[in-house]
Structure formats: structure tokens, C-alpha cells
Amino acid sequence: MSNLGSIAKKECVDLINSKIVLLGAAVLLLYVGVNLYEYHHALSSGLIKNIEFSSSVLSAMCTLTLYGSFFSVIIGFSSIANEKKNHALNTLIVKPLYRDTIINGKLLGACCFMSLVFGFALLIYVSGLLMLSGEYISTFILDFAAKIAFVYLLSLIYDLIFVTLSMTVAIIVDKQAIALIISTLIVEMFDFIVGVNVTQTISHIINSIMPVNMDAIEYFIVLLSPKGVIGLIINNSNIFSPIYGACDVIGSLSSYVIRLCLYLFLSVIVCYMVFMRRDIV
């Protein structure tokens, strides 16, 4: 356990000292500021009212979550690429440490770092919302807090998928620049899969071969991508509506949550297998 904690601590310190990671975190916080400004402007100019609070929060949370996938790629890439560049992985492997201890420590460190960054961003965002719409939110403050915590947890699960995938790519690909490009393309690929044009085209092709429910086919295709699953969750208009309690919302989205956890489990397994078998150079 001491070795695991030491590696996790080292991982957090390395990520904090990484310029590219800090730049990504700065952009994330910039997104928070922009979303709060847009919400304030819409309220003050009369474009929206507090009653439309739910859709405004969902839009902002969706932006932050989807940007988080690119931030996760940076974290996963930096976690492995910097170690390979400094030959630190070779040093760890030749020490009396199991490889699974190393990968567990790096995943734990990355998870802790992401939790802190996203938690800080969320704290700023929620504080801004309370200042702008505190009187409205106070009528359902407990439900609001529970729903924010729920979305925060889902965002971490979703983003950890891309951390592990980018770590896997960085382990396999020796060239750091190419590894980063491939990891970014993976994010774009998931976005492409759930695009309206792609899902409709595929459903039309399948329907031309055999009569099927095209809406069901499009829904199935969207569920094949973590981005599609998180999109269905975040864009659910009932999440932050004061009409629906937190337990009702979580219960209605449980199948999506399970699927998202399954994708994370599979990505972690792949990362483990590659790290265990791949020669680190």
C-alpha cells in the first residue's frame, strides 16, 4: 500500500508540474467563467428567466463535460509520455514493484488530480450560480446539491475513460506527438459516431436491407459511444428541474450509468493488459 500511495502522490505532483496539464486546467476554468458570464448576461438582459435555470445549467455542464474529455487526454498522455521521456518508467519497473502497482498508482494519482481540478471548477461554477440565482435555487437546494454531485461523479467516470485510453495509446506508441494526435482522434471518433448524419446514414442502410425501427437503430448507435451515453444523461431536461427529485432522476438514468461504468471498466482492462505485456522504452 505504501508503494501504491507513493506512486499516486508522485503522479499528482508530476501532473501539477506539467505545463501542458496546467494549460488545460486553465482553459477548463476559462470555460467556467465564460458560461457564468453568458448566464449572467442572459438573465440581466431578459433573454431567459430563472424558470429556465435547468436548461442553462445543463448547457454549461455539457460544455464542461465534453471539454473534459480533451483535458483527460492531456492527463493520460502526460502521465505516460513524460515518464517515458525521462526513463522513469524503466526505473520503476526494475525496482521491486509489481507492474500492476505502478499502473494502479498512476490511475489513482490521475483520478485524484482530476477530482481536485473538476471539484475546484465546479465549486466556482456553483458559487456563481448561487450568487446569480440563489433565491430561486434555495427552494430546492438539497435536490440541487445531490444532482450536482451526481453529474460531477458521472463526469469523472466519463473522463477517466479517456484518461485510460490515452494512457494506453501513449504506452503503445513511442512517438509522443503521434500518441497525442491519436488520442485526440479517438475523442473525435466518438463524437463522429454519434453525429446525426452518421447515425441516420447507418440506420437508412440497415433499413434498406431489412425493415427496422430507424429510431431504435439510431439510439443503439448512440449508446455505442461513451460520448453518446453522457450526452443522453447530461441533455436530460429533467435533471435540474425542481419538479423531479434527485432519487427520481438517478433512478431513471441508472441504465446509462451502468453502461458508462462498463465502458470505464473495459478501458481500464485494456490499459492493464497493454501495460503488463508491452515493453516500456
Side-chain angles (χ1 to χ4, degrees):
M1 287 296 292
S2 61
N3 288 332
L4 178 65
S6 297
I7 295 173
K9 181 179 178 180
K10 177 183 179 299
E11 183 67 21
C12 282
V13 172
D14 289 345
L15 289 172
I16 291 173
N17 292 328
S18 172
K19 293 181 180 179
I20 188 173
V21 171
L22 291 179
L23 178 61
V27 175
L28 177 65
L29 295 177
L30 179 62
Y31 266 114
V32 173
V34 170
N35 278 301
L36 283 174
Y37 173 77
E38 290 178 346
Y39 180 64
H40 169 68
H41 176 70
L43 275 177
S44 59
S45 61
L47 295 177
I48 63 171
K49 298 180 180 179
N50 274 326
I51 197 66
E52 300 170 83
F53 170 82
S54 177
S55 59
S56 299
V57 177
L58 284 173
S59 176
M61 295 300 293
C62 184
T63 300
L64 293 175
T65 302
L66 297 183
Y67 170 74
S69 61
F70 290 99
F71 183 50
S72 303
V73 165
I74 294 174
I75 291 176
F77 164 78
S78 300
S79 178
I80 298 296
N82 291 339
E83 300 276 26
K84 291 174 71 173
K85 180 180 179 181
N86 300 326
H87 303 289
L89 279 177
N90 285 332
T91 304
L92 287 174
I93 289 171
V94 298
K95 287 184 176 182
L97 291 173
Y98 292 107
R99 282 201 175 201
D100 60 342
T101 301
I102 298 173
I103 194 66
N104 283 337
K106 296 187 79 63
L107 286 172
L108 179 61
C111 182
C112 290
F113 178 79
M114 284 184 58
S115 299
L116 291 174
V117 173
F118 274 76
F120 182 64
L122 194 63
L123 178 63
I124 294 175
Y125 184 66
V126 172
S127 299
L129 288 178
L130 290 174
M131 286 190 293
L132 295 173
S133 301
E135 293 183 2
Y136 177 72
I137 298 175
S138 63
T139 60
F140 56 99
I141 186 66
L142 293 179
D143 269 340
F144 173 73
K147 292 172 182 178
I148 283 288
F150 173 64
V151 173
Y152 169 68
L153 180 61
L154 286 178
S155 298
L156 281 180
I157 294 173
Y158 170 75
D159 292 326
L160 280 172
I161 294 173
F162 293 98
V163 169
T164 54
L165 287 176
S166 59
M167 287 177 67
T168 303
V169 173
I171 293 170
I172 296 173
V173 181
D174 295 330
K175 297 290 186 180
Q176 297 181 45
I178 296 177
L180 181 58
I181 291 172
I182 293 175
S183 298
T184 305
L185 288 176
I186 289 175
V187 178
E188 294 294 340
M189 180 191 71
F190 282 127
D191 287 343
F192 178 76
I193 290 174
V194 298
V196 175
N197 292 334
V198 174
T199 56
Q200 288 183 349
T201 300
I202 294 176
S203 62
H204 276 294
I205 293 174
I206 295 175
N207 189 56
S208 65
I209 299 173
M210 62 181 74
V212 292
N213 186 324
M214 294 178 61
D215 290 337
I217 294 296
E218 291 179 24
Y219 180 70
F220 175 77
I221 296 171
V222 168
L223 289 179
L224 292 177
S225 165
K227 195 265 184 182
V229 177
I230 198 69
L232 290 172
I233 294 173
I234 297 295
N235 291 324
N236 188 304
S237 59
N238 296 334
I239 289 186
F240 288 102
S241 172
I243 300 175
Y244 301 94
C247 293
D248 296 329
V249 170
I250 294 173
S252 65
L253 299 174
S254 59
S255 61
Y256 297 142
V257 176
I258 293 172
R259 184 178 288 269
L260 207 59
C261 290
L262 176 61
Y263 285 141
L264 175 59
F265 175 76
L266 292 175
S267 65
V268 170
I269 291 298
V270 171
C271 187
Y272 263 86
M273 292 175 61
V274 171
F275 190 79
M276 293 295 182
R277 297 178 180 274
R278 175 75 174 177
D279 291 332
I280 309 298
V281 294

